[in-house]
C-alpha cells in the first residue's frame, strides 16, 4: 500500500523499519528502498527484494552531519563537499570509522562506506523518526529503471515491501552523484543529480576518473543497468518506421509513432526529472525501439547520457 503522509503514516513507517521491514521512501533523486542499516537481516531482505545478483554495497542515508561523521572518516575535502552540498544529491565514499556499527552486508565487506544526506523532507523525517541510518538503494528490481513515483515502486516491488511513503514525483529524477574520497584526489564513480562542474568548482580542481580496478565496485557502472524492455537507438537524428521517439529540445524530427519530449525548451534539469518516467511510458506502450535525440553532455547532461548509454547497452542473459 502507498501512504499519503501524516504523522501517523510516518510513525508506522518508522516502526516497520525498527521491526526490520522494508519501507520505500521518496528522495529528491529517486525512491529508495529503506531498511535499518544496523540490522544485518533487514539489509539482507533488501538484496532479496531487489533480486540483486551480488552483494553490491549500499548507500547509507543519514539526516545529520554528525551522524555521518560517526560512521565514516572524512578527509578535509570530503568534509568540504559534505558541508557544501548536503543535504542534496551527492553520495560520498569514505573510510569507515573504527567502530562503525553499519551492517557488513551494507558495505559488502569493504572497509569504506557510502554516505548520503538526502534533501527530501520525507526522507529526512523518516530517518529521524526511525532514529537510525537507513540503507537506500533505488526501490526497483535489480537492473531495471529507477522509480520516480510511488506507483513505479509498487509496480516493481509491490508485495515485497511493507509500505511506500508517497511523496509525489522525485524532483531531480536521476540518482545521486557518487564521489569516492578514499584516495588523495576525489574520484567521480557515478555521474548523477549533482553536476560534476559544481563539485569541481567547490574543490578548485577536477575530479579524477575511476581506475579500471575500481569499476566493478560500483554496480551503477555495470554496463547494462537502468534497462527498459525496448531497445534504445541513441543520438538519433531521424525516426525510422516503427520507432517511438524520446526527444530533447526543438525542433523535433518527423515521427509517426509515440513521442515524449524530455524538455521542449532544452532544459537539462527538466530533462533529468522526466528521464525515467518517459522511458517507462514509452516502454509500457510496447514499442520495440525508442529513438533518442542527442542530449548535451554538460551539467546534468552527463548523468542523463550515462543512464541512456546503460539503458541502451546489451543485456546480460537472464
Ligand atoms: O540517489 C541515490 O543515490 C539513490 C537514492 C535512493 O538515495 N540510491 C541509489 O542507490 O542509487 P543504489 O544502491 O542504487 O546505488 C548505490 C551506488 C552503487 O553504484 C554502489 O556501487 C555505490 O553506490 N557504492 C555504495 N557503496 C560503495 C562503496 N563503499 N564504494 C564504492 N561504491 C559504493
Ligand atoms: Mg539503483
Amino acid at each position: 500500500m502507498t501512504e499519503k503522509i501524516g504523522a501517523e503514516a510516518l510513525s508506522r513507517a518508522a516502526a516497520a523499519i525498527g521491526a526490520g521491514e522494508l519501507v520505500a521512501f521518496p528522495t529528491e533523486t529517486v525512491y529508495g528502498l529503506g531498511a535499518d542499516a544496523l540490522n544485518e537481516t533487514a539489509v539482507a531482505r533488501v538484496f532479496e527484494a531487489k533480486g540483486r545478483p551480488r552483494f553490491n554495497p549500499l548507500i547509507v542515508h543519514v539526516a545529520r552531519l554528525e551522524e555521518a561523521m560517526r560512521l565514516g572518516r572524512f578527509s578535509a575535502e570530503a568534509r568540504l563537499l559534505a558541508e557544501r552540498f548536503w543535504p542534496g544529491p551527492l553520495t560520498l565514499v569514505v573510510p569507515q570509522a573504527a567502530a562503525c556499527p553499519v551492517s557488513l552486508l551494507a558495505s559488502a565487506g569493504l572497509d569504506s562506506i557510502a554516505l548520503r544526506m538526502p534533501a527530501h523532507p520525507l526522507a529526512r523525517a523518516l530517518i529521524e523518526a526511525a532514529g537510525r541510518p537507513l540503507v537506500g538503494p533505488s526501490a526497483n528490481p535489480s537492473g531495471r529503471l529507477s522509480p520516480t513515483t510511488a506507483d513505479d515502486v509498487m509496480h516493481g516491488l509491490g508485495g515485497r515491501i511493507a509500505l511506500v511513503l508517497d511523496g509525489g514525483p522525485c524532483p531531480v529524477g536521476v540518482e545521486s552523484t557518487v564521489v569516492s574520497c578514499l584516495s588523495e584526489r576525489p574520484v567521480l564513480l557515478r555521474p548523477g543529480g549533482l553536476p560534476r562542474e559544481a563539485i569541481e568548482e567547490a574543490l578548485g580542481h577536477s575530479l579524477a576518473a575511476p581506475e579500471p580496478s575500481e569499476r566493478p565496485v560500483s554496480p551503477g557502472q555495470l554496463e547494462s543497468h537502468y534497462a527498459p524492455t525496448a531497445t534504445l537507438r541513441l543520438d538519433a537524428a531521424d525516426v525510422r518506421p516503427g520507432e517511438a521517439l524520446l526527444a530533447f529540445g526543438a525542433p523535433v524530427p518527423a515521427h509517426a509513432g509515440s513521442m515524449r519530449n524530455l524538455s521542449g525548451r532544452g532544459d537539462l534539469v527538466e530533462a533529468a526529472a522526466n528521464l525515467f518516467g518517459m522511458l517507462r511510458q514509452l516502454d509500457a506502450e510496447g514499442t520495440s525501439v525508442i529513438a533518442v535525440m542527442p542530449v548535451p553532455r554538460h551539467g546534468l547532461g552527463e548523468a542523463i547520457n550515462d543512464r541512456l548509454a546503460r539503458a541502451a547497452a546489451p543485456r546480460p542473459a537472464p
Side-chain angles (χ1 to χ4, degrees), residues 22 33 44-52 140-142 156-157 160-161:
L22 309 185
L33 182 54
R45 286 193 186 118
V46 169
F47 285 98
E48 185 190 54
K50 281 183 64 80
R52 264 206 197 201
N140 52 287
S142 187
L157 293 180
R160 289 189 241 173
I161 55 185

Side-chain angles (χ1 to χ4, degrees), residues 25-33 50 52 56-61 89-91 93-94 106-107 110-116 118 136-140 146 174-178 180 182 189-190 214-221 225-226 307:
F25 64 99
T27 80
E28 69 278 22
T29 58
V30 300
Y31 275 74
L33 182 54
K50 281 183 64 80
R52 264 206 197 201
N56 294 316
L58 303 177
I59 296 171
V60 175
H61 295 66
L90 173 67
T91 294
V93 176
V94 299
S107 56
L110 298 169
D111 48 18
S112 58
I113 184 168
L115 293 164
R116 151 157 153 76
S138 47
N140 52 287
S146 291
V174 292
E175 300 84 350
S176 63
T177 302
V178 181
S180 167
L182 299 178
L189 291 181
R190 176 177 78 178
E214 281 177 271
R215 289 186 179 274
V217 169
S218 224
Q221 300 178 340
H225 209 74
Y226 314 106
R307 304 306 187 271

